[in-house]
mmCIF file of all heavy atoms in Angstrom:
data_model
loop_
_atom_site.group_PDB
_atom_site.id
_atom_site.type_symbol
_atom_site.label_atom_id
_atom_site.label_comp_id
_atom_site.label_asym_id
_atom_site.label_seq_id
_atom_site.Cartn_x
_atom_site.Cartn_y
_atom_site.Cartn_z
ATOM 1 N N LEU S 212 -52.117 58.990 -52.858
ATOM 2 C CA LEU S 212 -52.463 60.361 -53.251
ATOM 3 C C LEU S 212 -52.516 60.488 -54.759
ATOM 4 O O LEU S 212 -53.470 61.016 -55.322
ATOM 5 C CB LEU S 212 -51.437 61.351 -52.681
ATOM 6 C CG LEU S 212 -51.481 61.609 -51.173
ATOM 7 C CD1 LEU S 212 -50.451 62.682 -50.796
ATOM 8 C CD2 LEU S 212 -52.860 62.083 -50.731
ATOM 9 N N HIS S 213 -51.474 59.985 -55.442
ATOM 10 C CA HIS S 213 -51.375 60.168 -56.904
ATOM 11 C C HIS S 213 -52.423 59.372 -57.663
ATOM 12 O O HIS S 213 -53.005 59.878 -58.623
ATOM 13 C CB HIS S 213 -49.977 59.757 -57.384
ATOM 14 C CG HIS S 213 -48.939 60.797 -57.073
ATOM 15 N ND1 HIS S 213 -48.258 61.476 -58.039
ATOM 16 C CD2 HIS S 213 -48.489 61.275 -55.878
ATOM 17 C CE1 HIS S 213 -47.420 62.326 -57.474
ATOM 18 N NE2 HIS S 213 -47.538 62.218 -56.150
ATOM 19 N N PHE S 217 -56.114 62.271 -55.337
ATOM 20 C CA PHE S 217 -56.155 63.501 -56.152
ATOM 21 C C PHE S 217 -57.120 63.370 -57.341
ATOM 22 O O PHE S 217 -57.988 64.223 -57.528
ATOM 23 C CB PHE S 217 -54.746 63.886 -56.629
ATOM 24 C CG PHE S 217 -53.845 64.397 -55.522
ATOM 25 C CD1 PHE S 217 -52.460 64.199 -55.560
ATOM 26 C CD2 PHE S 217 -54.398 65.084 -54.441
ATOM 27 C CE1 PHE S 217 -51.657 64.686 -54.551
ATOM 28 C CE2 PHE S 217 -53.586 65.565 -53.421
ATOM 29 C CZ PHE S 217 -52.207 65.361 -53.476
ATOM 30 N N PRO S 218 -56.994 62.281 -58.170
ATOM 31 C CA PRO S 218 -57.926 62.192 -59.317
ATOM 32 C C PRO S 218 -59.386 62.205 -58.878
ATOM 33 O O PRO S 218 -60.217 62.892 -59.477
ATOM 34 C CB PRO S 218 -57.567 60.868 -59.983
ATOM 35 C CG PRO S 218 -56.177 60.572 -59.550
ATOM 36 C CD PRO S 218 -56.031 61.172 -58.183
ATOM 37 N N LEU S 221 -60.393 65.719 -57.822
ATOM 38 C CA LEU S 221 -60.495 66.640 -58.960
ATOM 39 C C LEU S 221 -61.768 66.348 -59.752
ATOM 40 O O LEU S 221 -62.495 67.272 -60.139
ATOM 41 C CB LEU S 221 -59.267 66.518 -59.873
ATOM 42 C CG LEU S 221 -57.948 66.981 -59.253
ATOM 43 C CD1 LEU S 221 -56.817 66.895 -60.274
ATOM 44 C CD2 LEU S 221 -58.063 68.417 -58.749
ATOM 45 N N MET S 241 -59.662 70.362 -64.089
ATOM 46 C CA MET S 241 -58.676 70.801 -63.103
ATOM 47 C C MET S 241 -57.414 69.962 -63.167
ATOM 48 O O MET S 241 -57.430 68.834 -63.663
ATOM 49 C CB MET S 241 -59.258 70.649 -61.705
ATOM 50 C CG MET S 241 -60.247 71.700 -61.360
ATOM 51 S SD MET S 241 -60.585 71.544 -59.613
ATOM 52 C CE MET S 241 -62.085 72.428 -59.537
ATOM 53 N N MET S 242 -56.379 70.536 -62.612
ATOM 54 C CA MET S 242 -55.101 69.837 -62.623
ATOM 55 C C MET S 242 -54.327 70.281 -61.381
ATOM 56 O O MET S 242 -54.505 71.391 -60.881
ATOM 57 C CB MET S 242 -54.402 70.254 -63.922
ATOM 58 C CG MET S 242 -53.041 69.791 -64.169
ATOM 59 S SD MET S 242 -51.874 70.971 -63.538
ATOM 60 C CE MET S 242 -51.331 71.773 -65.009
ATOM 61 N N LEU S 243 -53.495 69.370 -60.856
ATOM 62 C CA LEU S 243 -52.652 69.702 -59.702
ATOM 63 C C LEU S 243 -51.202 69.644 -60.151
ATOM 64 O O LEU S 243 -50.803 68.707 -60.848
ATOM 65 C CB LEU S 243 -52.840 68.635 -58.625
ATOM 66 C CG LEU S 243 -53.780 68.899 -57.463
ATOM 67 C CD1 LEU S 243 -53.785 67.676 -56.568
ATOM 68 C CD2 LEU S 243 -53.375 70.131 -56.683
ATOM 69 N N HIS S 244 -50.443 70.648 -59.769
ATOM 70 C CA HIS S 244 -49.007 70.545 -60.074
ATOM 71 C C HIS S 244 -48.210 71.109 -58.907
ATOM 72 O O HIS S 244 -48.769 71.812 -58.042
ATOM 73 C CB HIS S 244 -48.682 71.266 -61.393
ATOM 74 C CG HIS S 244 -48.897 72.747 -61.362
ATOM 75 N ND1 HIS S 244 -47.962 73.630 -60.911
ATOM 76 C CD2 HIS S 244 -49.958 73.504 -61.753
ATOM 77 C CE1 HIS S 244 -48.426 74.868 -61.029
ATOM 78 N NE2 HIS S 244 -49.638 74.813 -61.529
ATOM 79 N N THR S 250 -45.446 70.385 -64.479
ATOM 80 C CA THR S 250 -45.864 69.038 -64.879
ATOM 81 C C THR S 250 -47.039 68.591 -64.014
ATOM 82 O O THR S 250 -46.951 68.659 -62.780
ATOM 83 C CB THR S 250 -44.704 68.047 -64.673
ATOM 84 O OG1 THR S 250 -43.508 68.712 -65.018
ATOM 85 C CG2 THR S 250 -44.877 66.793 -65.484
ATOM 86 N N PRO S 251 -48.131 68.131 -64.644
ATOM 87 C CA PRO S 251 -49.285 67.732 -63.839
ATOM 88 C C PRO S 251 -48.970 66.550 -62.932
ATOM 89 O O PRO S 251 -48.328 65.589 -63.359
ATOM 90 C CB PRO S 251 -50.339 67.345 -64.862
ATOM 91 C CG PRO S 251 -49.907 67.961 -66.136
ATOM 92 C CD PRO S 251 -48.413 68.043 -66.087
ATOM 93 N N ILE S 252 -49.411 66.642 -61.689
ATOM 94 C CA ILE S 252 -49.316 65.512 -60.762
ATOM 95 C C ILE S 252 -50.567 64.675 -60.892
ATOM 96 O O ILE S 252 -50.530 63.450 -60.884
ATOM 97 C CB ILE S 252 -49.186 66.038 -59.313
ATOM 98 C CG1 ILE S 252 -47.794 66.650 -59.138
ATOM 99 C CG2 ILE S 252 -49.424 64.943 -58.303
ATOM 100 C CD1 ILE S 252 -47.614 67.306 -57.797
ATOM 101 N N ALA S 253 -51.685 65.345 -61.018
ATOM 102 C CA ALA S 253 -52.957 64.647 -61.232
ATOM 103 C C ALA S 253 -53.871 65.574 -62.007
ATOM 104 O O ALA S 253 -53.746 66.797 -61.911
ATOM 105 C CB ALA S 253 -53.600 64.300 -59.893
ATOM 106 N N THR S 254 -54.767 64.955 -62.805
ATOM 107 C CA THR S 254 -55.695 65.781 -63.590
ATOM 108 C C THR S 254 -57.103 65.214 -63.449
ATOM 109 O O THR S 254 -57.275 64.032 -63.164
ATOM 110 C CB THR S 254 -55.335 65.765 -65.091
ATOM 111 O OG1 THR S 254 -55.474 64.436 -65.558
ATOM 112 C CG2 THR S 254 -53.947 66.273 -65.357
ATOM 113 N N SER S 255 -58.089 66.081 -63.666
ATOM 114 C CA SER S 255 -59.462 65.575 -63.689
ATOM 115 C C SER S 255 -59.700 64.971 -65.068
ATOM 116 O O SER S 255 -58.926 65.198 -66.004
ATOM 117 C CB SER S 255 -60.446 66.704 -63.438
ATOM 118 O OG SER S 255 -60.437 67.577 -64.537
ATOM 119 N N TRP S 258 -58.942 66.603 -68.967
ATOM 120 C CA TRP S 258 -57.912 67.665 -69.003
ATOM 121 C C TRP S 258 -57.241 67.623 -70.360
ATOM 122 O O TRP S 258 -56.794 66.564 -70.804
ATOM 123 C CB TRP S 258 -56.897 67.436 -67.879
ATOM 124 C CG TRP S 258 -55.801 68.457 -67.911
ATOM 125 C CD1 TRP S 258 -54.558 68.296 -68.437
ATOM 126 C CD2 TRP S 258 -55.879 69.798 -67.430
ATOM 127 N NE1 TRP S 258 -53.832 69.450 -68.306
ATOM 128 C CE2 TRP S 258 -54.627 70.404 -67.694
ATOM 129 C CE3 TRP S 258 -56.864 70.563 -66.809
ATOM 130 C CZ2 TRP S 258 -54.339 71.725 -67.361
ATOM 131 C CZ3 TRP S 258 -56.576 71.880 -66.472
ATOM 132 C CH2 TRP S 258 -55.329 72.451 -66.741
#
Side-chain angles (χ1 to χ4, degrees):
L212 288 183
H213 283 244
F217 289 149
L221 293 183
M241 284 190 198
M242 175 269 257
L243 261 179
H244 65 85
T250 322
I252 289 175
T254 63
S255 69
W258 178 261

